[in-house]
């Protein structure tokens, strides 16, 4: 059928009965399909931002590029999607920078406990030269980083007790992301840290395979952790970025115009996602309390003890990501705090 259609178009062109531009329209213009995987549910800050990105791409490309948003880890956990992008079996994803450290060790910089004190610092460093430098380190591994989105400041939930002081971590079986800094950090605080993909977390909390986890308020809400977690302790122990990545194998087949469509949509989606996430986070604590969670804030003195204890992991991070990158980051933060 396609061959017949092409022959017909060619003969109509030859007779001048069909002008070239119209013929171009008559040709099969199959939209370029982009599979964009993510791990949270559709009704989450992550899902809303992927939907926004998809709308931006379709609009800017005049329908020539279509993004299929595939959520709830239907394409597998972050690490599996990362490999699918590297192999060219999937085009795009968004996930945690923390799960990328096995591919690009410099991503561990963003795991540093208490690195950012607020979102102003996070945006400035992530969207500036340091964030770009770390993102560029993905390319030799077969990934192209487009932008950072906001997962947010991470807080602790568990089913055993309120964590009011560092000693309360003792004996808590705590799920952490598959990342050595998180593992070492929570072991240093006295918890029994268990690395686990996000996609397995709700079930593990429900069956008490683990007692607790740590994530931003948004995720605690959208993943309904309040159904299986009684206690929420506000620690804000680390700012967690997400990163939108593209398969380099696929990216390199795109025209410059197509790459620009994706980059422009990614920047617009970053600004949308951060605004949406911050608005939701502002409401989330009240909503979680209304859902029955018992919420406590760590007293400043206890937060300071936690920060001092976690400083032990910083030397290892600096050695891992490179002392120059570490020093550059600390200098950038000092300048922002002047
Ligand atoms: O796909 C899930 C990831 O987006 C991950 O970042 C969620 O923060 C997360 C976690 O705790 O695994």
């Amino acid at each position: 059928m396609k061959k017949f259609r092409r022959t017909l178009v060619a003969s109509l062109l030859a007779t001048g009965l069909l002008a070239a531009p119209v013929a171009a329209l008559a040709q099969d213009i199959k939209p370029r399909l982009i599979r964009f995987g993510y791990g949270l549910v559709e009704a989450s800050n992550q899902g809303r931002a992927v939907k926004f990105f998809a709308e931006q791409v379709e609009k800017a490309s005049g329908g020539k590029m279509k993004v299929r948003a595939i959520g709830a880890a239907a394409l597998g956990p972050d690490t599996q999607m990362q490999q699918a992008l590297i192999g060219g079996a999937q085009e795009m994803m968004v996930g945690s920078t923390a799960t990328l450290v096995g591919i690009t060790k410099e991503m561990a910089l963003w795991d540093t406990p208490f690195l950012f004190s607020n979102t102003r610092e996070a945006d400035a460093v992530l969207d500036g030269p340091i964030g770009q430098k770390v993102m560029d380190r993905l390319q030799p591994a077969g990934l192209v980083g487009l932008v950072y989105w906001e997962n947010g400041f991470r807080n602790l939930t568990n089913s055993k007790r309120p964590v009011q002081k560092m000693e309360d971590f003792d004996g808590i079986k705590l799920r952490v992301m598959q990342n050595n800094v998180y593992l070492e950090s929570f072991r240093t605080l006295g918890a029994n840290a268990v690395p686990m993909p996000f996609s397995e977390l709700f079930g593990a909390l429900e069956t008490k395979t683990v007692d607790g986890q740590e994530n931003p308020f948004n995720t605690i809400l959208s993943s309904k952790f309040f159904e299986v977690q009684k206690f929420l302790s506000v620690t804000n122990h680390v700012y967690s970025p997400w990163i939108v990545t593209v398969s380099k194998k696929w990216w390199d087949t795109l025209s410059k115009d197509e790459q620009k469509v994706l980059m422009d949509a990614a920047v617009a989606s970053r600004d949308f996602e951060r605004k949406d996430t911050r608005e939701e986070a502002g409401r989330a604590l009240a909503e979680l309390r209304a859902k029955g969670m018992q919420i406590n804030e760590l007293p400043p003195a206890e937060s300071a003890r936690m920060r001092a204890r976690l400083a032990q992991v910083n030397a290892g991070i600096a050695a891992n990501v490179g002392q120059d990158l570490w020093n550059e980051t600390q200098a950038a933060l000092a300048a922002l705090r002047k």
Side-chain angles (χ1 to χ4, degrees):
M1 184 56 186
K2 264 189 269 184
K3 192 169 176 342
F4 167 74
R5 201 182 308 170
R6 284 207 165 88
T7 311
L8 175 65
V9 167
S11 53
L12 286 172
L13 263 177
T15 59
L17 288 176
L18 198 58
V22 175
L25 286 176
Q27 292 296 329
D28 283 337
I29 303 175
K30 266 201 191 51
R32 196 187 275 281
L33 186 61
I34 302 161
R35 290 159 294 188
F36 191 136
Y38 62 97
L40 271 62
V41 294
E42 188 180 346
S44 68
N45 53 338
Q46 198 177 64
R48 291 190 293 271
V50 176
K51 183 170 179 288
F52 178 89
F53 174 82
E55 290 161 357
Q56 293 294 306
V57 168
E58 178 144 10
K59 200 163 44 179
S61 69
K64 292 198 188 75
M65 300 169 84
K66 276 189 185 306
V67 175
R68 215 169 102 229
I70 306 164
L75 294 179
D78 288 11
T79 48
Q80 185 174 324
M81 291 196 283
Q82 289 156 9
Q83 293 306 318
L85 264 60
I86 290 168
Q90 180 182 329
E91 291 74 31
M92 293 187 69
M93 69 171 283
V94 62
S96 184
T97 55
T99 54
L100 275 167
V101 295
I103 292 172
T104 300
K105 62 185 173 57
E106 291 83 357
M107 282 289 168
L109 178 63
W110 313 130
D111 303 329
T112 305
F114 299 105
L115 180 69
F116 299 128
S117 303
N118 52 53
T119 54
R120 180 181 68 86
E121 292 178 5
D123 295 356
V125 172
L126 290 168
D127 298 347
I130 295 170
Q132 188 59 54
K133 190 178 289 184
V134 173
M135 204 183 265
D136 289 347
R137 297 297 309 132
L138 288 168
Q139 299 224 10
L143 295 170
V144 177
L146 298 188
V147 289
Y148 294 99
W149 286 357
E150 176 159 300
N151 189 0
F153 283 97
R154 301 179 76 93
N155 293 286
L156 181 77
T157 68
N158 82 91
S159 54
K160 292 183 86 145
R161 68 178 83 94
V163 171
Q164 320 243 23
K165 59 187 182 306
M166 211 154 50
E167 289 70 18
D168 292 337
F169 277 100
D170 288 354
I172 287 182
K173 205 168 180 186
L174 189 74
R175 174 271 177 179
V176 296
M177 287 191 280
Q178 300 142 289
N179 171 296
N180 288 336
V181 171
Y182 278 79
L183 211 51
E184 190 186 341
S185 295
F186 285 97
R187 283 177 176 158
T188 300
L189 291 173
N192 172 7
V194 178
M196 180 186 296
F198 183 78
S199 48
E200 298 171 15
L201 179 51
F202 187 91
L205 293 169
E206 191 173 36
T207 57
K208 299 270 190 298
T209 305
V210 292
D211 303 314
Q213 64 85 46
E214 42 82 55
N215 249 293
F217 298 145
N218 308 69
T219 301
I220 297 166
L221 193 61
S222 64
S223 299
K224 299 188 186 308
F225 291 156
F226 52 84
E227 292 179 354
V228 289
Q229 297 279 265
K230 173 77 183 148
F231 304 105
L232 166 56
S233 302
V234 181
T235 52
N236 290 319
H237 51 273
V238 65
Y239 176 91
S240 177
W242 281 323
I243 183 167
V244 177
T245 51
V246 185
S247 162
K248 188 171 187 323
K249 196 174 275 188
W250 177 73
W251 177 261
D252 289 347
T253 68
L254 301 181
S255 68
K256 289 291 174 225
D257 288 349
E258 289 173 318
Q259 290 177 352
K260 186 177 184 309
V261 164
L262 294 180
M263 195 62 217
D264 290 351
V267 171
S269 69
R270 175 196 65 197
D271 299 343
F272 168 87
E273 194 272 344
R274 285 172 176 169
K275 184 172 180 294
D276 175 61
T277 295
R278 288 163 193 173
E279 283 171 358
E280 183 182 52
R283 302 188 302 269
L285 214 48
E287 289 188 31
L288 291 166
R289 189 173 278 112
K291 298 283 186 187
M293 292 199 86
Q294 187 179 311
I295 298 170
N296 72 286
E297 310 234 356
L298 241 66
E302 279 307 313
S303 192
R305 281 183 73 214
M306 203 174 147
R307 185 188 288 250
R309 176 68 63 86
L310 287 176
Q312 289 176 22
V313 303
N314 291 359
I317 297 171
N320 190 23
V321 305
Q323 199 61 50
D324 291 350
L325 181 64
W326 176 268
N327 295 344
E328 188 184 352
T329 306
Q330 297 307 322
L333 288 167
L336 285 164
R337 291 165 183 165
K338 273 197 181 109

